[in-house]
Amino acid sequence: MVDKEDLRAEIPSYAFIALARRGMEKISLDQCFLHDCDNRDLNLLEPFKKEIQEDDKKITKKIYIKCKKCNRNFILKLDTLKYVAKSTKDEKEEPLSMGIVYALDENGKDLGHIGYF
Ligand SMILES: [Zn+2]
């Protein structure tokens, strides 16, 4: 048995979406990303499984989540890059982010890139 609270702790609370010249928009990851579902209630989202893959460039975590509103499952895929290239324009600039989050449906079909964490 996996501990649901442990799984929940693996999920960042927010992702950031880059908006061309207007900075970043912060969105909650505590929501259902499936089509036609507007569930944003944390209590109706139940993480139940985790898979981790690692190669020399990144660590990929997949958190399987059951949505109790639409009764379907989806997957949050969290790619954490091990080496983040710095901008060549500005030496002082910190890497924007270390991770990218995607949503997948339960068959692994890509629902799209959500943002950065
Ligand atoms: Zn849902």
Side-chain angles (χ1 to χ4, degrees):
M1 269 306 277
V2 286
D3 187 315
K4 292 188 184 78
E5 292 309 312
D6 280 359
L7 280 179
R8 212 184 280 288
E10 302 265 2
I11 306 169
S13 302
Y14 297 99
F16 295 89
I17 301 169
L19 302 169
R21 294 202 150 256
R22 293 181 292 132
M24 307 285 277
E25 185 183 355
K26 188 167 140 183
I27 65 156
S28 173
L29 292 179
D30 297 326
Q31 60 174 289
C32 177
F33 288 96
L34 291 165
H35 187 58
D36 289 338
C37 183
D38 61 357
N39 180 18
R40 287 173 175 273
D41 183 348
L42 186 62
N43 297 314
L44 295 176
L45 293 165
E46 187 177 288
F48 64 94
K49 192 172 117 183
K50 177 175 83 170
E51 284 175 1
I52 294 185
Q53 289 171 345
E54 183 168 355
D55 63 27
D56 49 337
K57 291 201 180 78
K58 63 179 193 285
I59 300 166
T60 300
K61 246 191 282 184
K62 285 183 183 170
I63 312 282
Y64 290 70
I65 298 167
K66 181 175 178 59
C67 173
K68 293 179 182 173
K69 185 166 182 181
C70 65
N71 283 312
R72 291 177 294 177
N73 299 332
F74 66 99
I75 303 167
L76 283 179
K77 189 175 109 177
L78 302 158
D79 274 354
T80 305
L81 305 178
K82 290 183 175 176
Y83 307 103
V84 176
K86 286 201 172 190
S87 164
T88 51
K89 286 178 191 157
D90 184 352
E91 286 286 311
K92 294 185 300 259
E93 193 175 315
E94 289 299 313
L96 186 63
S97 140
M98 298 289 287
I100 307 170
V101 56
Y102 304 86
L104 310 176
D105 73 8
E106 62 183 318
N107 300 313
K109 184 173 166 279
D110 200 343
L111 300 173
H113 165 214
I114 302 170
Y116 303 92
F117 65 91

